[in-house]
């Protein structure tokens, strides 16, 4: 059995042009005609729709992924929801502390309500007043 030459899938402008030429075909046939298929050991052709659709999205210049952060890492984005952990703690993630430019050692005053918890950051003036009050007590 002769080995078939690997067909290089179309990308960019070539892909867009070919898809327009094939407008009367099904999406599977378009993908196949543009080179987005493989042949199995048994000789069965398998269309790779995901690669085809992703190539179309790229060719159109549509940006689906969010831009990476300044340090090049993705990470989680803030959902503005947290839940109590099994040990009873509430963990506020780094997505929030980064948005507020908080640094290690920044302090907060906790105020409890019936159905809410309020955190108010202590600024440097308040911190000095608290230290003076503690020293005199």
């Amino acid at each position: 059995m002769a080995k078939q030459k690997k067909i290089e899938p179309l990308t960019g402008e070539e892909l867009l042009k070919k898809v327009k030429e094939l407008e009367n075909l099904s999406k599977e046939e378009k993908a196949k005609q543009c080179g987005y298929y493989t042949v199995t050991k048994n000789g069965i052709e398998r269309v790779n729709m995901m690669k085809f659709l992703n190539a179309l999205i790229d060719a159109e210049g549509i940006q689906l992924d969010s831009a990476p952060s300044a340090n090049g890492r993705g990470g989680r984005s803030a959902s503005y929801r947290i839940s109590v952990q099994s040990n009873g703690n509430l963990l506020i993630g780094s997505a929030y502390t980064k948005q507020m430019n908080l640094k290690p050692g920044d302090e907060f005053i906790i105020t409890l309500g019936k159905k809410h918890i309020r955190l108010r950051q202590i600024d440097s003036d308040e911190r000095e007043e608290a230290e003076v009050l503690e020293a005199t007590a």
Side-chain angles (χ1 to χ4, degrees), residues 48-119:
N48 191 330
M49 285 303 297
M50 229 19 212
K51 281 187 179 177
F52 174 65
L53 295 173
N54 282 333
L56 277 174
I57 289 169
D58 290 344
E60 287 286 351
I62 299 169
Q63 187 70 15
L64 292 180
D65 292 329
S66 62
S69 62
N71 64 3
R73 294 169 49 185
R76 291 185 180 175
S77 60
S79 66
Y80 298 96
R81 285 183 85 140
I82 58 172
S83 56
V84 177
Q85 297 177 337
S86 60
N87 62 2
N89 290 344
L90 281 174
L91 176 67
I92 298 174
S94 64
Y96 309 102
T97 57
K98 285 177 185 172
Q99 282 182 10
M100 293 182 65
N101 295 319
L102 298 177
K103 305 289 181 258
D106 287 351
E107 294 180 348
F108 291 82
I109 294 174
I110 300 172
T111 309
L112 300 177
K114 282 189 177 186
K115 289 196 170 196
H116 69 274
I117 299 172
R118 182 174 177 211
L119 298 176

Side-chain angles (χ1 to χ4, degrees), residues 12-28:
E13 287 297 319
E14 289 178 321
L15 176 62
L16 294 175
K17 185 178 174 184
K18 185 72 169 178
V19 167
K20 285 179 185 170
E21 288 173 14
L22 304 171
E23 64 184 336
N24 58 338
L25 298 178
S26 69
K27 61 184 175 189
E28 287 80 11

Side-chain angles (χ1 to χ4, degrees), residues 3-11 14-15 18 29-39 45-48 51-52:
K3 199 170 190 181
Q4 289 187 343
K5 186 177 87 167
K6 180 153 172 61
I7 297 171
E8 196 63 39
L10 299 176
T11 57
E14 289 178 321
L15 176 62
K18 185 72 169 178
E29 272 302 310
K30 288 175 187 170
K32 197 170 159 184
Q33 293 287 322
C34 292
Y36 288 88
Y37 72 95
T38 55
V39 180
E45 291 180 345
R46 282 228 161 111
V47 178
N48 191 330
K51 281 187 179 177
F52 174 65

